Amino acid sequence: MSSSSVPTFVELLRSAEHSAVHLEMRDSYAVDYEKGPFADWRAGHRHAPADRASWWRPWLDLIVETVGRGVAVRRARIVSEPVSEYTRFLYDGTFTNVAAGEQVRWLPRRRASDIALPGNDFWLIDGRLVRWNHFSGNGQSGGGEISEDPAAARLCAAAFDKVWERGVPHERYEIR
C-alpha cells in the first residue's frame, strides 16, 4: 500500500482485536533539541508519577481504550549500551506507557545479535498487519507503510517474540 493509505495510529489500534506489538530498534529519533519535551528533559524536567495531569496525553488515552477492549499492547526496545541520551529520555518517560497499560521490555543490543530482525521498526496488529515505520538517517520520520504480506508478518512476529523473551521488563531494567 502507498503511504497515503496508511491508517492513523488511532485507526490502527482501534482495528486491533487481540494484540498490538511494537518493536523499536533505533537509539535516537529526531527531536527538537531546542524546545519541546526532550529539551525540557535535558534542562532537568522530570514527570512526577503522582502528577498524572501533567503528563497524560491523547496517546495514553488510546492505549487505555485499546487495553480496555482486551487487546494486549506490548512494546520492546532494542538499545545500545551505554544508552544514548535520547534512550535515557525514553526510559524516564516510559512509566507513562506502563501506567496506561502497555507492557514494555528493553533488550541490550548485544543480546540481539543472533535474532533475525526486520530492517525497520514496526507495529504488528493481530499477527497479520504490519505497519512499517521508516526513518531517515537522522531519525526524521520517513512515513509509514502497511503490509499484509504473511511472510513479513511472520518475520515480525518471530523477531518480536524473541526480543520479548530476552527483554527485561521496564520495572527491572537498569539504564547503563
Side-chain angles (χ1 to χ4, degrees), residues 46-56 95-96 99:
R46 299 297 184 268
H47 292 299
D51 185 13
R52 187 180 184 119
S54 72
W55 49 263
W56 201 260
F95 78 89
T96 66

PDB file of all heavy atoms in Angstrom, residues 46-56 95-96 99:
ATOM      1  N   ARG A  46      11.458  16.444  34.996  1.00  0.00           N
ATOM      2  CA  ARG A  46      11.034  15.043  35.037  1.00  0.00           C
ATOM      3  C   ARG A  46       9.563  15.005  35.420  1.00  0.00           C
ATOM      4  O   ARG A  46       9.125  15.766  36.282  1.00  0.00           O
ATOM      5  CB  ARG A  46      11.853  14.225  36.061  1.00  0.00           C
ATOM      6  CG  ARG A  46      13.353  14.177  35.781  1.00  0.00           C
ATOM      7  CD  ARG A  46      13.659  13.491  34.453  1.00  0.00           C
ATOM      8  NE  ARG A  46      15.073  13.353  34.198  1.00  0.00           N
ATOM      9  CZ  ARG A  46      15.823  14.218  33.530  1.00  0.00           C
ATOM     10  NH1 ARG A  46      15.313  15.340  33.076  1.00  0.00           N
ATOM     11  NH2 ARG A  46      17.102  13.990  33.318  1.00  0.00           N
ATOM     12  N   HIS A  47       8.815  14.125  34.793  1.00  0.00           N
ATOM     13  CA  HIS A  47       7.410  13.963  35.141  1.00  0.00           C
ATOM     14  C   HIS A  47       7.305  13.315  36.509  1.00  0.00           C
ATOM     15  O   HIS A  47       8.001  12.343  36.802  1.00  0.00           O
ATOM     16  CB  HIS A  47       6.693  13.069  34.124  1.00  0.00           C
ATOM     17  CG  HIS A  47       6.563  13.679  32.770  1.00  0.00           C
ATOM     18  ND1 HIS A  47       5.878  14.853  32.542  1.00  0.00           N
ATOM     19  CD2 HIS A  47       7.015  13.271  31.565  1.00  0.00           C
ATOM     20  CE1 HIS A  47       5.916  15.138  31.266  1.00  0.00           C
ATOM     21  NE2 HIS A  47       6.613  14.204  30.645  1.00  0.00           N
ATOM     22  N   ALA A  48       6.426  13.847  37.325  1.00  0.00           N
ATOM     23  CA  ALA A  48       6.154  13.263  38.640  1.00  0.00           C
ATOM     24  C   ALA A  48       5.033  12.245  38.474  1.00  0.00           C
ATOM     25  O   ALA A  48       3.930  12.607  38.047  1.00  0.00           O
ATOM     26  CB  ALA A  48       5.756  14.346  39.634  1.00  0.00           C
ATOM     27  N   PRO A  49       5.291  10.983  38.785  1.00  0.00           N
ATOM     28  CA  PRO A  49       4.243   9.970  38.618  1.00  0.00           C
ATOM     29  C   PRO A  49       2.925  10.340  39.305  1.00  0.00           C
ATOM     30  O   PRO A  49       1.852  10.035  38.781  1.00  0.00           O
ATOM     31  CB  PRO A  49       4.861   8.709  39.229  1.00  0.00           C
ATOM     32  CG  PRO A  49       6.335   8.898  39.011  1.00  0.00           C
ATOM     33  CD  PRO A  49       6.562  10.384  39.212  1.00  0.00           C
ATOM     34  N   ALA A  50       2.994  11.013  40.432  1.00  0.00           N
ATOM     35  CA  ALA A  50       1.779  11.369  41.163  1.00  0.00           C
ATOM     36  C   ALA A  50       1.013  12.520  40.505  1.00  0.00           C
ATOM     37  O   ALA A  50      -0.174  12.706  40.783  1.00  0.00           O
ATOM     38  CB  ALA A  50       2.125  11.739  42.602  1.00  0.00           C
ATOM     39  N   ASP A  51       1.656  13.273  39.623  1.00  0.00           N
ATOM     40  CA  ASP A  51       1.011  14.417  38.967  1.00  0.00           C
ATOM     41  C   ASP A  51       0.553  14.008  37.566  1.00  0.00           C
ATOM     42  O   ASP A  51       1.011  14.536  36.553  1.00  0.00           O
ATOM     43  CB  ASP A  51       1.980  15.603  38.906  1.00  0.00           C
ATOM     44  CG  ASP A  51       1.337  16.864  38.355  1.00  0.00           C
ATOM     45  OD1 ASP A  51       0.090  16.912  38.237  1.00  0.00           O
ATOM     46  OD2 ASP A  51       2.094  17.809  38.044  1.00  0.00           O
ATOM     47  N   ARG A  52      -0.362  13.076  37.526  1.00  0.00           N
ATOM     48  CA  ARG A  52      -0.824  12.488  36.270  1.00  0.00           C
ATOM     49  C   ARG A  52      -1.298  13.540  35.263  1.00  0.00           C
ATOM     50  O   ARG A  52      -1.062  13.418  34.065  1.00  0.00           O
ATOM     51  CB  ARG A  52      -1.936  11.495  36.579  1.00  0.00           C
ATOM     52  CG  ARG A  52      -2.398  10.683  35.415  1.00  0.00           C
ATOM     53  CD  ARG A  52      -3.514   9.736  35.886  1.00  0.00           C
ATOM     54  NE  ARG A  52      -3.931   8.866  34.829  1.00  0.00           N
ATOM     55  CZ  ARG A  52      -3.851   7.547  34.862  1.00  0.00           C
ATOM     56  NH1 ARG A  52      -3.380   6.938  35.926  1.00  0.00           N
ATOM     57  NH2 ARG A  52      -4.270   6.831  33.855  1.00  0.00           N
ATOM     58  N   ALA A  53      -1.951  14.568  35.728  1.00  0.00           N
ATOM     59  CA  ALA A  53      -2.475  15.599  34.817  1.00  0.00           C
ATOM     60  C   ALA A  53      -1.366  16.275  34.024  1.00  0.00           C
ATOM     61  O   ALA A  53      -1.602  16.751  32.909  1.00  0.00           O
ATOM     62  CB  ALA A  53      -3.270  16.635  35.603  1.00  0.00           C
ATOM     63  N   SER A  54      -0.155  16.284  34.547  1.00  0.00           N
ATOM     64  CA  SER A  54       0.940  16.975  33.862  1.00  0.00           C
ATOM     65  C   SER A  54       1.542  16.153  32.723  1.00  0.00           C
ATOM     66  O   SER A  54       2.225  16.706  31.872  1.00  0.00           O
ATOM     67  CB  SER A  54       2.034  17.358  34.859  1.00  0.00           C
ATOM     68  OG  SER A  54       2.750  16.202  35.276  1.00  0.00           O
ATOM     69  N   TRP A  55       1.304  14.855  32.701  1.00  0.00           N
ATOM     70  CA  TRP A  55       1.920  14.035  31.653  1.00  0.00           C
ATOM     71  C   TRP A  55       0.937  13.201  30.847  1.00  0.00           C
ATOM     72  O   TRP A  55       1.298  12.608  29.839  1.00  0.00           O
ATOM     73  CB  TRP A  55       3.022  13.133  32.220  1.00  0.00           C
ATOM     74  CG  TRP A  55       2.690  12.333  33.436  1.00  0.00           C
ATOM     75  CD1 TRP A  55       2.993  12.677  34.723  1.00  0.00           C
ATOM     76  CD2 TRP A  55       2.010  11.071  33.519  1.00  0.00           C
ATOM     77  NE1 TRP A  55       2.535  11.708  35.579  1.00  0.00           N
ATOM     78  CE2 TRP A  55       1.937  10.703  34.872  1.00  0.00           C
ATOM     79  CE3 TRP A  55       1.464  10.211  32.575  1.00  0.00           C
ATOM     80  CZ2 TRP A  55       1.339   9.529  35.316  1.00  0.00           C
ATOM     81  CZ3 TRP A  55       0.865   9.034  32.996  1.00  0.00           C
ATOM     82  CH2 TRP A  55       0.810   8.707  34.367  1.00  0.00           C
ATOM     83  N   TRP A  56      -0.301  13.140  31.256  1.00  0.00           N
ATOM     84  CA  TRP A  56      -1.269  12.347  30.490  1.00  0.00           C
ATOM     85  C   TRP A  56      -1.517  13.018  29.149  1.00  0.00           C
ATOM     86  O   TRP A  56      -1.557  14.231  29.070  1.00  0.00           O
ATOM     87  CB  TRP A  56      -2.571  12.212  31.278  1.00  0.00           C
ATOM     88  CG  TRP A  56      -3.376  11.041  30.794  1.00  0.00           C
ATOM     89  CD1 TRP A  56      -4.434  11.096  29.944  1.00  0.00           C
ATOM     90  CD2 TRP A  56      -3.170   9.670  31.079  1.00  0.00           C
ATOM     91  NE1 TRP A  56      -4.911   9.843  29.684  1.00  0.00           N
ATOM     92  CE2 TRP A  56      -4.143   8.926  30.376  1.00  0.00           C
ATOM     93  CE3 TRP A  56      -2.246   8.968  31.851  1.00  0.00           C
ATOM     94  CZ2 TRP A  56      -4.238   7.546  30.431  1.00  0.00           C
ATOM     95  CZ3 TRP A  56      -2.339   7.595  31.912  1.00  0.00           C
ATOM     96  CH2 TRP A  56      -3.320   6.894  31.208  1.00  0.00           C
ATOM     97  N   PHE A  95       7.314   5.149  32.236  1.00  0.00           N
ATOM     98  CA  PHE A  95       6.325   4.824  33.272  1.00  0.00           C
ATOM     99  C   PHE A  95       4.934   5.266  32.840  1.00  0.00           C
ATOM    100  O   PHE A  95       3.927   4.672  33.250  1.00  0.00           O
ATOM    101  CB  PHE A  95       6.708   5.433  34.632  1.00  0.00           C
ATOM    102  CG  PHE A  95       6.414   6.902  34.750  1.00  0.00           C
ATOM    103  CD1 PHE A  95       5.170   7.349  35.206  1.00  0.00           C
ATOM    104  CD2 PHE A  95       7.370   7.848  34.414  1.00  0.00           C
ATOM    105  CE1 PHE A  95       4.903   8.699  35.317  1.00  0.00           C
ATOM    106  CE2 PHE A  95       7.105   9.199  34.521  1.00  0.00           C
ATOM    107  CZ  PHE A  95       5.869   9.634  34.972  1.00  0.00           C
ATOM    108  N   THR A  96       4.844   6.283  31.961  1.00  0.00           N
ATOM    109  CA  THR A  96       3.536   6.745  31.500  1.00  0.00           C
ATOM    110  C   THR A  96       2.882   5.689  30.610  1.00  0.00           C
ATOM    111  O   THR A  96       1.676   5.458  30.705  1.00  0.00           O
ATOM    112  CB  THR A  96       3.639   8.095  30.755  1.00  0.00           C
ATOM    113  OG1 THR A  96       4.377   7.941  29.543  1.00  0.00           O
ATOM    114  CG2 THR A  96       4.282   9.165  31.628  1.00  0.00           C
ATOM    115  N   ALA A  99       1.698   2.965  32.877  1.00  0.00           N
ATOM    116  CA  ALA A  99       0.502   3.395  33.607  1.00  0.00           C
ATOM    117  C   ALA A  99      -0.748   3.276  32.742  1.00  0.00           C
ATOM    118  O   ALA A  99      -1.841   3.018  33.257  1.00  0.00           O
ATOM    119  CB  ALA A  99       0.668   4.836  34.088  1.00  0.00           C
TER     120      ALA A  99
END
